[in-house]
Amino acid sequence: MSPSAPPASPGGEADAAPPPAPGAAAPLAPGAPGGDEAPLASRLTWLIALRLAVLTVFLVVTAAVYLGGFTPGGFSSIVALVTVAAAYGVSGIYAVFLRMKRALRAIARAQLVTDQITWTALVYITGGATSGATSLYGLTCLTGAILLGLPGAIVAAASGASAYLVLCAALGLHLVGVPPDQPSGAYVTQWGELRYPMFVNLLAIMVVTLLASYLAERLRATGGRLVQATARAEQAERLAALGRLAAGLAHEIRNPLGSIAGSIELLRTGGTLSDEDRKLCEIIERETARLNDLVGDMLDLSRPRAPALGPVDLSATARDVVVLAGRSGRGGDVDVRFEGPPSAPVTADAAQMRQVVWNLVRNAIQASSPGAAVTVRLARDAGAWALEIRDQGRGIPAGARDRLFDAFFTTRTHGMGIGLAVVKRILDDHGFAIEVDSREGEGTAFRVKIPDRPLAAGAAEPLAAGAAEPLAAGVAEPLAAGAAEPLAAGAGDRSGARSRA
């Protein structure tokens, strides 16, 4: 028996979440449309420019409509000019902090509060509680929703409502008088008359805040999905090219691989080798078998075919795979056992179901330590057969489970992350479900639900996105008649699995 290989990563094909692929969408921060500091800085820059433009335009309109032109020494003119000058100065301070890229969210909240105070000063000189400038409060609420989501809209609404209420209270209590250069009849200063405009404007602020928050969240979610979809499309395109290359390489590798395996088998059984030479031949056989596994997985993934449904005894298939796995590879130092009824008739593709069981059992063995046990259990469950393959490995981290069946996803030193992708593709083609139950430090269980009655033609869902999207059907050229033959008996565990299928 060849020396046992060290235990692979938990779950076989994947044991931890690797860094996100280039171009993958980063997770969005809660409540933030962009979820990142760089987009927020860009939005704040645009907000400063927009504020200055609005203030300038509003100053011109106010002077022309309400004030009849700027009056040197006029109270309203002085308030308008001081307000706009202060806004320009504060914007300059914000710009300095933006260049430092520090405390951007605090700067955003401060800008929202500053804007509401600025609008309040303009409301005061353009009619007070009934001024048309109160609509600017809603504009800031919309800006807050775009910048920071619901929290930003709430900050803008609270500061705007507070500033407006303070102005109305000051006018109602006569703490602040009507601007001396404005007609007193244009202002409401009695509490009985202040109630209605206060109620309408506060209601408008609340409605705008809710609508803006809802639309901003929808925009954030839609934008996030668009970014992720674009990243997935780009990744699929890259993987498609990689798949075509891999299939071509597999075709070229398979031919000399069979010759190497056959030659080593003849040398090992010739009877003229020393014990040390036999051990070297066993190492070559083992590594040749592993290479054969990788080549076969790539071919299986790159050449998907529709399942040829027929009667299959799932129990007999599982028992055969267990016996084969126990006699090959690391089956000698891992206890592989079967528990189930003597017969389990299902309707499926016999060769593909054997491939599914073999890949899952091989995955469990690779995830197990020497002396551990792998249990293949078959039982009835709610009118269907439930096939469970359980190992006693270290389990799969939560961050890796979402990508467990993605093609080429693996963190193992020896592996390409194809075996589980093939399993998912085959089960999706059959319309069968697979579940993963894993606890770190306690092992992993894969459960396949196989109904008694097969799905109607065309009812099976499309191939899994992570398994079959990257590789278009037919990317690999058909292998020559002799190239696709399994390796000679004893050259690898995979050949045994395929020959028995």
Side-chain angles (χ1 to χ4, degrees):
M1 178 63 65
S2 59
S4 59
S9 304
E13 295 293 345
D15 64 346
L28 297 174
D36 200 0
E37 294 298 320
L40 180 58
S42 176
R43 292 189 180 95
L44 286 174
T45 302
W46 280 102
L47 175 60
I48 291 176
L50 179 63
R51 174 196 296 108
L52 297 181
V54 170
L55 281 173
T56 303
V57 172
F58 198 82
L59 177 64
V60 174
V61 172
T62 299
V65 176
Y66 285 92
L67 306 180
F70 284 106
T71 304
F75 180 82
S76 297
S77 299
I78 293 175
V79 171
L81 291 174
V82 170
T83 300
V84 173
Y88 270 84
V90 172
S91 296
I93 296 174
Y94 290 153
V96 172
F97 279 98
L98 277 178
R99 291 181 62 87
M100 298 170 60
K101 303 288 186 182
R102 298 176 59 182
L104 296 183
R105 294 185 179 278
I107 293 175
R109 288 189 287 269
Q111 286 197 49
L112 296 174
V113 174
T114 302
D115 285 350
Q116 300 294 48
I117 295 174
T118 301
W119 307 144
T120 303
L122 297 179
V123 166
Y124 171 60
I125 61 173
T126 56
T130 59
S131 170
T134 54
S135 60
L136 295 174
Y137 291 131
L139 176 62
T140 303
C141 294
L142 177 61
T143 303
I146 295 174
L147 283 176
L148 302 175
L150 179 60
I154 291 176
V155 169
S159 57
S162 299
Y164 179 70
L165 287 175
V166 168
L167 175 63
C168 292
L171 290 173
L173 295 175
H174 303 290
L175 298 177
V176 174
V178 175
D181 54 351
Q182 298 291 323
S184 58
Y187 283 76
V188 176
T189 59
Q190 302 299 321
W191 279 112
E193 298 175 346
L194 282 170
R195 292 173 187 168
Y196 180 74
M198 287 174 59
F199 171 77
V200 170
N201 285 306
L202 293 177
L203 179 63
I205 291 175
M206 182 176 66
V207 170
V208 170
T209 298
L210 294 177
L211 288 177
S213 301
Y214 172 75
L215 293 176
E217 290 300 319
R218 289 292 300 272
L219 180 62
R220 180 194 65 83
T222 303
R225 287 194 295 267
L226 180 61
V227 170
Q228 293 173 357
T230 302
R232 283 197 299 267
E234 293 175 352
Q235 184 181 28
E237 186 176 348
R238 291 194 299 269
L239 289 178
L242 178 61
R244 289 190 290 270
L245 175 62
L249 288 176
H251 171 68
E252 296 299 328
I253 291 172
R254 200 69 178 273
N255 289 326
L257 194 60
S259 301
I260 293 172
S263 301
I264 290 297
E265 177 67 14
L266 292 175
L267 283 175
R268 191 174 65 85
T269 58
T272 59
L273 298 179
S274 64
D275 292 340
E276 183 178 355
D277 290 338
R278 287 195 183 92
K279 290 182 179 179
L280 292 176
C281 287
E282 289 176 356
I283 293 175
I284 296 175
E285 284 185 340
R286 186 175 66 249
E287 293 304 310
T288 303
R290 186 173 67 84
L291 183 57
N292 181 55
D293 286 341
L294 296 178
V295 170
D297 282 340
M298 285 190 289
L299 293 175
D300 289 337
L301 189 61
S302 63
R303 296 184 302 170
R305 64 174 178 85
L309 301 181
V312 178
D313 188 344
L314 187 59
S315 180
T317 299
R319 284 197 305 270
D320 289 347
V321 169
V322 167
V323 173
L324 180 64
R327 295 176 180 174
S328 59
R330 292 191 57 230
D333 58 12
V334 176
D335 181 18
V336 186
R337 62 186 70 164
F338 173 76
E339 299 176 1
S343 177
V346 298
T347 301
D349 186 303
Q352 289 187 351
M353 287 309 299
R354 178 180 289 272
Q355 188 70 50
V356 166
V357 179
W358 173 256
N359 283 10
L360 291 177
V361 171
R362 184 183 64 180
N363 186 74
I365 292 175
Q366 292 171 343
S368 301
S369 301
V374 171
T375 304
V376 180
R377 184 178 293 109
L378 184 62
R380 297 290 294 175
D381 182 13
W385 288 104
L387 177 66
E388 179 183 271
I389 294 88
R390 180 178 293 274
D391 64 57
Q392 297 176 344
R394 296 194 299 271
I396 304 172
R401 294 172 194 170
D402 291 340
R403 301 186 59 195
L404 195 59
F405 296 103
D406 287 0
F408 307 112
F409 172 75
T410 182
T411 56
R412 288 173 44 212
T413 304
H414 301 292
M416 294 185 63
I418 300 177
L420 290 180
V422 172
V423 167
K424 187 65 165 65
R425 194 208 72 207
I426 292 175
L427 294 178
D428 283 347
D429 286 350
H430 280 76
F432 300 159
I434 184 169
E435 301 173 352
V436 182
D437 181 16
S438 182
R439 295 177 177 85
E440 293 192 50
E442 299 182 13
T444 302
F446 289 85
R447 297 188 186 93
V448 180
K449 294 291 185 68
I450 304 173
D452 292 334
R453 296 181 179 179
L455 294 177
E461 294 183 1
L463 303 182
E469 270 187 358
L471 303 176
V475 294
E477 296 181 2
L479 299 180
E485 292 296 326
L487 298 183
D493 47 19
R494 185 184 185 89
S495 61
R498 292 191 169 187
S499 62
R500 298 175 68 95

